[in-house]
Amino acid sequence: MKLLLENWRKYLNESKLRVFDFDDTIAKSDSNIHITTDTGEKISMTPGEYATHKINPDYEYDFSEFDEVINPREIKQITNIVRNAINAGTEGREIAILTARAPEAEDAIRDYLESLELDTSKITFVLLGDSDPQAKANWVANRIESGATDVLFFDDSGKNVDAVEALANKYPDVKIRARKVKYAEDIAENIPQEN
């Protein structure tokens, strides 16, 4: 009986965390990373290309296009999940946009989500200004330490998904699911959004 009560109490105190990356997860945009190599060569990369790029400390990286949301195309499979999470209510649930973009992009992201009629007042915005996968995993770990017991994480980067999945070893009693999103691959590059 005692075990039954403990399990029931754990269920009542369940705290859900739903985490969504922005670029190539919620929307595909035409923001690119501009790289200058150590030889002076100029390279532009999409977020998808950058997700698999090995950082070179001798290269110069320019993320300034990510301060705005350029020509966004909605990834409906994910925005529908965000919408359902919002509609389920925020009691015992946190919905977060967790992105490597810098804090300067928050207004542009918020405006875009509001244009999709998503209630941004129910979303936590976390703009790390850091593309290291461990930065996202650390943020999720902090939320687990604060009481999250059920984590669902969506990201297009396999490195980010792996970093969050690895938290299951540290927190075996927490339900952690990390899903790699590939829907953006089906959306054409640099195509103006149709209204």
Side-chain angles (χ1 to χ4, degrees):
M1 183 69 170
K2 182 180 176 190
L3 181 62
L4 181 64
L5 286 173
E6 285 176 15
N7 287 339
W8 181 247
R9 189 176 298 117
K10 194 186 272 189
Y11 174 77
L12 287 176
N13 295 325
E14 184 177 60
S15 177
K16 295 183 178 183
L17 176 63
R18 301 298 181 249
V19 184
F20 302 88
D21 174 46
F22 183 73
D23 290 289
D24 288 355
T25 301
I26 286 179
K28 184 174 185 108
S29 76
D30 292 336
S31 302
N32 288 315
I33 300 98
H34 299 285
I35 303 167
T36 304
T37 69
D38 51 353
T39 61
E41 178 186 359
K42 304 270 190 205
I43 302 169
S44 287
M45 286 188 183
T46 65
E49 292 167 336
Y50 184 76
T52 60
H53 170 72
K54 187 171 181 341
I55 303 297
N56 185 324
D58 297 326
Y59 289 7
E60 187 178 306
Y61 294 87
D62 174 4
F63 297 94
S64 59
E65 285 190 9
F66 289 88
D67 290 350
E68 51 190 301
V69 178
I70 301 170
N71 187 29
R73 275 94 67 214
E74 177 182 6
I75 299 174
K76 290 183 181 173
Q77 296 92 328
I78 301 301
T79 56
N80 285 339
I81 295 169
V82 175
R83 191 170 281 108
N84 289 340
I86 290 170
N87 290 340
T90 53
E91 180 72 33
R93 176 188 320 260
E94 181 179 13
I95 302 156
I97 304 297
L98 178 61
T99 176
R101 286 183 181 233
E104 291 79 12
E106 181 175 339
D107 288 342
I109 292 172
R110 189 181 291 273
D111 290 347
Y112 174 67
L113 295 177
E114 288 173 358
S115 79
L116 300 178
E117 298 181 0
L118 291 170
D119 183 353
T120 60
S121 71
K122 296 181 178 175
I123 298 173
T124 301
F125 288 85
V126 184
L127 291 88
L128 296 169
D130 186 347
S131 61
D132 182 350
Q134 195 57 47
K136 287 191 176 186
N138 290 345
W139 186 86
V140 172
N142 181 274
R143 283 306 201 258
I144 291 170
E145 294 286 340
S146 298
T149 58
D150 179 344
V151 177
L152 184 53
F153 177 85
F154 295 90
D155 202 303
D156 66 296
S157 166
K159 294 177 202 173
N160 293 340
V161 168
D162 292 346
V164 170
E165 279 182 338
L167 294 173
N169 297 325
K170 186 175 179 182
Y171 303 102
D173 295 335
V174 175
K175 184 178 184 180
I176 299 173
R177 291 159 296 158
R179 302 214 172 120
K180 186 171 189 302
V181 175
K182 297 182 180 182
Y183 301 117
E185 295 171 4
D186 299 330
I187 298 175
E189 295 286 344
N190 302 308
I191 301 294
Q193 181 177 356
E194 294 177 20
N195 291 330

